[in-house]
Amino acid sequence: MADAAVTTSSEQPTEAPSPHKRSLFSPFNIIAAILLLATAPFAIMRFTGGLGAVTALDHTNPWGIWIGFDLLTGVALAAGGYVTSAAVYIFGKEEYHSAVRPAILTGFLGYGLVVFALLFDVGRPWRLPYPFFVSQGVTSIMFEVGACVALYLTVLFLEFSPAAMEWLGLKKVRWIVVKLTILLTILGVLLSTLHQSSLGAMYLLAPSKLHPLWYSTYLPVFFFVSSIAAGLSMIIFESTMAHRYFPHLMDQRHKDESNKVALGFGRAAALVLAAYSAIKIFGIAADNNWAYLLTGYGVWFLVELVGFVMAPAFFFAVGVRDRNFKLIRGCAIWTVLGIVLNRFNISLIAFNWHLPEAERYFPALGEIAISIFIVTLGIVVYRFIVTRMPILYHHPDYHD
Amino acid sequence: MDGTIHTLQEFMMRTKGIVYILAIGFLVGFTAFWHFLWDREPRQKDLEKDS
């Protein structure tokens, strides 16, 4: 197993504090343990008592927060992986290289948690491989969704694996995987493009259920474009968190490039959000839905569009012009919240909008608890990996 | 013209027309936004001249 060595500059390696020497009873571990222990019984109940034991789902509302939050939001926020690797390996933006591994890790864990959440949401989770081996159903959009998740998770695993191999000292296997970097990046971009948009396309199946302001034939485009902004913002947010909580694990290059990443990704996010605002307006115009803007749902739609898309786009631009990194990082969190709101609106708030209040869906305590269980587990695994593997620093034994 | 849409042809004419006008507005606005984003950056030509 490789040492947890960190370089303070590319030439001067120093020893990083070993995570194994720390007390097991750190505040993070205690809070994580409490959350996991408090929510684990609901996870057990899901598999012993079925969906009915822990959810408020029914035939009218078969998809709840496990789809709206864990899946739709999880996939969008995991987009940093393909965005960063495309920027570095395809567009040659080498100055963002230090962001690649954290982004790939976030993407890999994000998609891993999506599949983990699906095990809870799907009635018979042991049948998840059926679309590949038993009954393909290739004409269904769900086949595309499933195929893209499975294939992209595999690609992300391979893209992430060099870090694990450096940790384990598997030099030969790592060498082979590193040689496949470009191929994996291209596959990743291809599969992400298909997958992000196919999640939007999934809602094309429900034109009578989704509110007209959110329903549009451009939904696949909306999902794809917004995922780019989500990915860019998530990388800025993650870099901020890493700076705050793991500065001792970062080498000088990661520290130096942090502001450069915030500036470049903030600029890109401003442009993508501006374009996204425009195509959302095109969507209203194409379906002649202007009249709905004067209703309650219209006001809520404008809150999302103006408050969580246009405003962050403008303030990202102001932050980039003024080199105001605090503002850029604030806008990244703002955008991430905007994406969460958008996916919630599409999957929950504006879905089944015509139903009377009594028939509308509201998540049960068990659903919220299991979502907390999944997210906490994701953070614990992220921390485990970051404190052991060369994610925030360049391993001194490998120079490619 | 009272603004009522009677046929699919009228609907397409109106909505497409509005989308095209919005698209032109977007192109103008996006160019302005691009300048707003970049105008404080030193140009490559200026950097070469300085060096």
Side-chain angles (χ1 to χ4, degrees):
Chain A
M1 210 166 281
D3 294 327
V6 172
T7 50
T8 49
S9 75
S10 52
E11 290 84 26
Q12 299 166 319
T14 58
E15 284 297 312
S18 166
H20 305 291
K21 290 172 193 163
R22 291 188 187 166
S23 165
L24 195 64
F25 297 99
S26 64
F28 173 85
N29 286 352
I30 292 169
I31 294 169
I34 291 170
L35 284 174
L36 287 174
L37 285 173
T39 53
F42 291 98
I44 295 165
M45 273 166 65
R46 153 66 186 93
F47 291 108
T48 51
L51 285 168
V54 286
T55 72
L57 301 173
D58 53 33
H59 289 302
T60 313
N61 301 291
W63 287 351
I65 55 165
W66 293 340
I67 296 297
F69 178 68
D70 299 23
L71 193 141
L72 293 184
T73 307
V75 166
L77 298 181
Y82 85 88
V83 170
T84 313
S85 52
V88 173
Y89 297 121
I90 296 179
F91 297 108
K93 298 282 182 191
E94 276 296 319
E95 64 266 36
Y96 306 134
H97 196 277
S98 63
V100 171
R101 277 199 178 173
I104 294 288
L105 174 62
T106 314
F108 175 53
L109 286 180
Y111 269 81
L113 291 176
V114 162
V115 174
F116 188 58
L118 271 179
L119 296 177
F120 289 91
D121 189 70
V122 174
R124 284 179 278 185
W126 56 91
R127 288 196 170 189
L128 272 183
Y130 268 42
F132 304 104
F133 303 111
V134 181
S135 175
Q136 281 74 29
V138 288
T139 51
S140 168
I141 191 72
M142 293 299 277
F143 176 78
E144 191 191 337
V145 171
C148 288
V149 170
L151 290 171
Y152 189 44
L153 185 61
T154 311
V155 167
L156 278 169
F157 171 72
L158 290 172
E159 284 185 299
F160 162 74
S161 62
M165 288 166 189
E166 287 171 18
W167 179 53
L168 296 168
L170 303 171
K171 289 189 176 180
K172 281 184 185 166
V173 192
R174 179 197 171 276
W175 184 83
I176 296 168
V177 179
V178 167
K179 290 285 165 206
L180 297 173
T181 301
I182 288 290
L183 178 70
L184 291 172
T185 304
I186 293 168
L187 270 175
V189 173
L190 193 75
L191 290 166
S192 288
T193 311
L194 282 167
H195 180 50
Q196 298 284 355
S197 54
S198 66
L199 285 179
M202 202 163 69
Y203 283 89
L204 292 178
L205 300 173
S208 60
K209 291 187 175 183
L210 188 56
H211 190 280
L213 283 172
W214 281 273
Y215 182 86
S216 165
T217 45
Y218 296 133
L219 260 178
V221 184
F222 293 165
F223 266 60
F224 175 63
V225 176
S226 61
S227 82
I228 299 174
L232 292 164
S233 303
M234 198 59 195
I235 297 307
I236 299 171
F237 173 66
E238 191 199 346
S239 159
T240 310
M241 292 292 110
H243 248 83
R244 177 170 291 183
Y245 296 108
F246 305 113
H248 55 291
L249 293 172
M250 298 176 91
D251 64 13
Q252 200 55 41
R253 186 179 178 189
H254 279 74
K255 286 176 181 167
D256 291 345
E257 285 184 5
S258 172
N259 280 351
K260 218 180 282 177
V261 168
L263 200 65
F265 280 31
R267 180 177 281 129
L271 293 171
V272 173
L273 286 171
Y276 178 58
S277 313
I279 57 172
K280 287 284 276 186
I281 295 169
F282 294 170
I284 303 172
D287 293 332
N288 201 26
N289 283 331
W290 300 105
Y292 286 106
L293 290 177
L294 301 174
T295 63
Y297 272 102
V299 173
W300 186 238
F301 179 83
L302 288 173
V303 167
E304 182 196 314
L305 182 62
V306 180
F308 289 90
V309 183
M310 290 179 176
F314 176 72
F315 286 107
F316 257 131
V318 172
V320 169
R321 273 168 65 89
D322 298 345
R323 298 285 191 273
N324 184 341
F325 294 103
K326 216 172 178 178
L327 182 59
I328 294 173
R329 293 192 168 105
C331 285
I333 299 170
W334 196 354
T335 307
V336 166
L337 291 175
I339 297 298
V340 175
L341 179 66
N342 173 257
R343 300 308 194 252
F344 263 62
N345 278 338
I346 289 171
S347 62
L348 304 171
I349 297 167
F351 200 77
N352 276 335
W353 63 288
H354 54 280
L355 287 182
E357 202 54 46
E359 290 178 42
R360 295 297 304 273
Y361 163 83
F362 191 81
L365 178 67
E367 287 172 85
I368 298 168
I370 289 174
S371 285
I372 294 171
F373 176 76
I374 292 167
V375 172
T376 309
L377 206 61
I379 295 170
V380 169
V381 174
Y382 176 87
R383 192 172 181 270
F384 177 88
I385 292 173
V386 158
T387 50
R388 283 161 179 79
M389 299 179 198
I391 303 295
L392 300 173
Y393 64 91
H394 193 85
H395 198 293
D397 294 348
Y398 300 87
H399 301 290
D400 49 346
Chain B
M1 198 170 137
D2 60 355
T4 314
I5 298 170
H6 297 286
T7 65
L8 180 63
Q9 164 78 4
E10 285 173 10
F11 178 80
M12 297 302 284
M13 281 289 283
R14 174 178 290 193
T15 55
K16 288 267 179 190
I18 293 171
V19 170
Y20 287 142
I21 292 166
L22 287 172
I24 293 165
F26 166 68
L27 288 175
V28 174
F30 195 76
T31 311
F33 189 64
W34 181 278
H35 280 288
F36 177 72
L37 204 57
W38 284 97
D39 65 356
R40 288 191 186 169
E41 293 292 314
R43 288 186 182 182
Q44 191 64 31
K45 258 194 291 185
D46 299 336
L47 287 174
E48 282 166 10
K49 210 184 279 178
D50 290 344
S51 62

